[in-house]
């Protein structure tokens, strides 16, 4: 059962990465269109804010995939010099800390999202889109990153148990 859970979380992380890539592509296309449109003498008002929404959202949604591919910035000098047994313990502790931070930020992001939704908070621009969809990417992306941490911990635990 655990391997199936771990595989499912890894697939979900990969799906989020695809969505994040599409969001970045949309941002790039909209900015490119905006530049061409303004060069032709027209004015724009929503393109920059839309692109910022897409880029910020893509960062949060790509986070679980980045973790699953070990793409996050890591400082591994200490673990490089530690004996393997202690390095595994240090990696486990760091993963638990990362999990705790992601759980906290998921909770804080959910509160922020619900508050923005409840009061109908909007940006102060001419386009004035609601803020809650942008805020929603934080608890979703970091919640999925927390889930990815759980899968990583389970996978590493199963690998260590398999070595014995």
């Amino acid at each position: 059962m655990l391997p199936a859970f771990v595989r499912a979380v890894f697939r979900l992380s990969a799906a989020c990465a695809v969505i994040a890539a599409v969001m970045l592509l949309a941002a790039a296309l909209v900015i490119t269109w905006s530049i061409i449109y303004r060069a032709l003498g027209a004015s724009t008002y929503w393109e920059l804010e839309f692109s910022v929404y897409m880029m910020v959202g893509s960062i949060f949604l790509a986070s679980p995939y980045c973790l699953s591919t070990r793409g996050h910035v890591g400082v591994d000098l200490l673990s490089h010099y530690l004996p393997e047994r202690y390095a595994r313990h240090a990696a486990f502790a760091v993963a638990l800390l990362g999990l705790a931070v992601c759980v906290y930020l998921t909770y804080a992001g959910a509160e922020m999202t619900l508050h923005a939704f409840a009061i109908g908070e909007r940006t102060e621009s001419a386009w004035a889109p609601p803020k809650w969809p942008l805020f929603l990417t934080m608890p979703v992306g970091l919640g999925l990153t927390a889930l990815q941490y759980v899968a990583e911990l389970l996978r590493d635990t199963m690998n260590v148990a398999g070595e014995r």
Side-chain angles (χ1 to χ4, degrees):
M1 174 168 152
L2 285 181
F5 169 76
V6 171
R7 280 193 307 274
V9 171
F10 275 79
R11 282 194 301 271
L12 181 60
S13 294
C16 286
V18 170
I19 293 168
V22 168
M23 291 170 75
L24 282 177
L25 178 63
L29 291 174
V30 166
I31 289 295
T32 302
W33 175 83
S34 172
I35 291 168
I36 293 168
Y37 193 65
R38 279 187 281 162
L40 296 174
S43 66
T44 61
Y45 65 96
W46 62 271
E47 292 85 350
L48 184 60
E49 197 162 19
F50 172 84
S51 296
V52 168
Y53 268 51
M54 292 294 107
M55 288 186 286
V56 170
S58 71
I59 288 168
F60 286 120
L61 292 179
S63 181
Y65 179 75
C66 190
L67 176 61
S68 74
T69 60
R70 310 262 189 224
H72 286 121
V73 174
V75 180
D76 56 359
L77 183 63
L78 178 63
S79 63
H80 178 72
Y81 288 107
L82 286 174
E84 186 177 334
R85 180 176 148 222
Y86 295 117
R88 265 198 306 249
H89 289 299
F92 187 79
V94 168
L96 283 178
L97 181 63
L99 174 61
V101 168
C102 285
V103 167
Y104 170 75
L105 291 175
T106 298
Y107 175 77
E111 276 190 332
M112 189 171 57
T113 302
L114 291 172
H115 176 72
F117 182 79
I119 66 171
E121 189 175 5
R122 295 184 166 276
T123 64
E124 293 78 31
S125 68
W127 183 36
K131 287 186 176 181
W132 70 265
L134 175 63
F135 293 165
L136 182 63
T137 62
M138 181 180 173
V140 169
L142 292 175
L144 292 172
T145 303
L147 192 63
Q148 184 65 47
Y149 267 117
V150 171
E152 295 282 335
L153 288 166
L154 289 172
R155 184 191 64 187
D156 291 347
T157 303
M158 288 185 300
N159 287 343
V160 170
E163 292 174 6
R164 293 181 186 166

